[in-house]
Structure formats: C-alpha cells, structure tokens
Amino acid sequence: MNILVIEDEKHNADRLIRLLEDTVEDARVHGPLASVAETRGFFRKAPAIDLILADIRLTDGLSFDGLQDIPDNVPVIFTTAYDEYALKAFNYNGIAYLLKPIEKDELVEAIEKSRLMFTPTSATKEIAEIYRLLQNKSEAYRQRFLIADRDGYITVPVSEVSYISAESGIARLFMKDRQQYTVEMSLDDIDAQLDPAQFFRATRQQIVNISSVRRVSNWFNRRIKIIVAEYPDIEVVVGREKVVRLKQWLDR
C-alpha cells in the first residue's frame, strides 16, 4: 500500500510514519512533504499512491491547494490540530478527519475505511453519506467581509460576491454590482471559510460563486471554461483534473 504523508512538523511526521509502519503490514511510506509546493511537484510526476495522510496547515498555505489535482480515486485522511476545516476536507477526497495527537486505534480504523470505501461499487455512496451527515453539523461559514473604507469600514455580503481572484498574493473581491474590493487574506484562507456548496475553487487564483455561473463551455485539452455572468470577459478555465468535481458541484 503506497501511502503519502504530508506534514510540515518533523516530530509529527516521524510519529505518524512509525504508526503506519507498526500498523499497516504492507505500507510503503512516501514523504513527508512539508509544503503545498512540494505536494504539487510530487503529483506532477504522476506517482501511484493508494492513500494520503495530510496535515492541513503547511508552511506555505493549506494542503487543499496542493491536493486539487489528485486523482478522484485516491482517499485522503486529514490529520490536523484544527477542527474548522472538517466539512471542507470532504471536497478533497477526505474520508476521515483525525485531530492531533492521533490515536493508533483511530488511524487503523480510518485506513481500513479507506480500503473499503474506495472500491468501484461503494465509493460514491459512502462519500455522499458522509458529506450528508456533515452537512447536518452546525458549521459556520463566512457571511460577510469587513472592508476598510475612506471613513472607516463597510461590510459586503458574501452572497453578493461574483468571483474572487488573487494576484501576487493580493486577493480581490469582484462584486455582482461591478464594485471591487481588496482584502488582506490569502486565497487559501478565504477558500477555507466559504461554503463549498456556494463557492468553487476553479483555479489556484480564482474562486467562483455558483450564482454567477452563467454557463460552462468545453475548452482545449478537455478543460472547461466558466462564463461568469457579471464578468463574461474574464478567463476562468478549469483544468481537466477538476472537471468531474466541477460538474458534481454544479449538479447538486
């Protein structure tokens, strides 16, 4: 079983690898990878991985950004000290969410679940059920942004955001009324705080509100272009690795 470990704290990575080697007889451990950049580079080589154990907060951002292009049949067990990303995790092949310090029994149970769930007959049904159960939890998503104004501050509702773009580390909100606002947050942090049923991380630099998706068009190399209602001239092209996820998001 090829298992990839994504963890930026050495002592946590060492302990996790020891647990894997002690509990999974056929484990072949890869990593640990300590950053989003390392994760992207690893998957560009198209390695055969059966399971991923990933911390969420890495040295250069959230691991979600590095996991966007993983194959849909590779399960992910998230290992973290933070519980606010639980629902978000299940948009990235997440099958379990283990809070640190990780207990051996919990890890074994999660790995066994990965073996059972990611078979052709059961994967879709089981993941859908987990997602449904998590939806029933009281999960607070961001409702508005506080924006610095000339005379103080204003608030803008999240529902009025058409899409969000980041360039050179600066995030900008593009509103449905054509107003634009800069926010002092990374796109990773914004993405983690938005309702995944309402917003989709289309590219590494763009997040789109489903209410602003006018239509989608086939694009080159099996990619898809999103036409944003209020900004039809912008380029939002979804890579072929995320096309299935985009269609599932639109078809809910």
Side-chain angles (χ1 to χ4, degrees), residues 136-196:
N136 292 331
K137 293 176 63 177
S138 57
E139 192 80 25
Y141 293 108
R142 177 179 284 275
Q143 299 297 311
R144 63 194 64 83
F145 289 94
L146 183 66
I147 306 294
D149 191 42
R150 182 174 51 214
D151 299 320
Y153 295 90
I154 62 171
T155 60
V156 295
V158 165
S159 60
E160 293 303 310
V161 176
S162 177
Y163 80 100
I164 307 169
S165 180
E167 186 174 350
S168 301
I170 298 174
R172 183 174 293 273
L173 310 178
F174 291 80
M175 310 301 293
K176 294 179 180 180
D177 62 2
R178 308 286 295 185
Q179 293 290 323
Q180 299 180 23
Y181 302 103
T182 299
V183 290
E184 295 183 1
M185 297 174 62
S186 72
L187 205 63
D188 285 338
D189 286 342
I190 293 174
D191 186 33
Q193 296 174 21
L194 296 176
D195 183 352

Side-chain angles (χ1 to χ4, degrees), residues 181-217:
Y181 302 103
T182 299
V183 290
E184 295 183 1
M185 297 174 62
S186 72
L187 205 63
D188 285 338
D189 286 342
I190 293 174
D191 186 33
Q193 296 174 21
L194 296 176
D195 183 352
Q198 190 69 28
F199 290 88
F200 183 76
R201 183 74 173 267
T203 70
R204 289 171 185 167
Q205 291 79 34
Q206 296 163 310
I207 299 173
V208 179
N209 188 338
I210 194 169
S211 64
S212 289
V213 176
R214 175 182 291 174
R215 61 185 175 89
V216 295
S217 303

Side-chain angles (χ1 to χ4, degrees), residues 5 8 18 41 62 82 100 102 109 143 150 157 161 198 229:
V5 172
D8 64 343
R18 285 197 302 271
L62 301 179
Y82 306 93
K100 297 176 182 177
I102 296 166
E109 183 180 350
Q143 299 297 311
R150 182 174 51 214
V161 176
Q198 190 69 28

Side-chain angles (χ1 to χ4, degrees), residues 21 48 72 81 83 93 134 139 159-160 166 197 221 223 249:
E21 292 174 344
D72 289 336
D83 61 3
N93 295 12
L134 282 175
E139 192 80 25
S159 60
E160 293 303 310
N221 295 327
R223 296 178 295 168
W249 178 67

Side-chain angles (χ1 to χ4, degrees), residues 93-143:
N93 295 12
I95 61 160
Y97 194 92
L98 306 183
L99 292 176
K100 297 176 182 177
I102 296 166
E103 299 294 334
K104 180 178 179 179
D105 291 346
E106 291 180 334
L107 180 61
V108 170
E109 183 180 350
I111 291 173
E112 288 306 308
K113 183 187 294 184
S114 77
R115 294 181 189 271
L116 294 173
M117 288 181 62
F118 273 70
T119 61
T121 56
S122 64
T124 301
K125 179 179 178 181
E126 293 290 343
I127 292 175
E129 177 63 13
I130 289 175
Y131 188 85
R132 183 189 66 79
L133 291 173
L134 282 175
Q135 286 279 30
N136 292 331
K137 293 176 63 177
S138 57
E139 192 80 25
Y141 293 108
R142 177 179 284 275
Q143 299 297 311

Side-chain angles (χ1 to χ4, degrees), residues 34-96:
S35 68
V36 172
E38 282 187 78
T39 303
R40 289 173 181 161
F42 183 86
F43 281 102
R44 275 197 291 267
K45 301 174 185 176
I49 293 296
D50 302 306
L51 174 66
I52 299 170
L53 277 76
D55 191 7
I56 291 182
R57 293 190 180 180
L58 302 178
T59 55
D60 58 347
L62 301 179
S63 61
F64 297 135
D65 201 25
L67 296 173
Q68 289 187 62
D69 298 332
I70 66 172
D72 289 336
N73 64 342
V74 178
V76 182
I77 297 171
F78 287 96
T79 60
T80 180
Y82 306 93
D83 61 3
E84 66 261 39
Y85 301 108
L87 187 55
K88 192 81 173 178
F90 286 85
N91 283 338
Y92 294 84
N93 295 12
I95 61 160

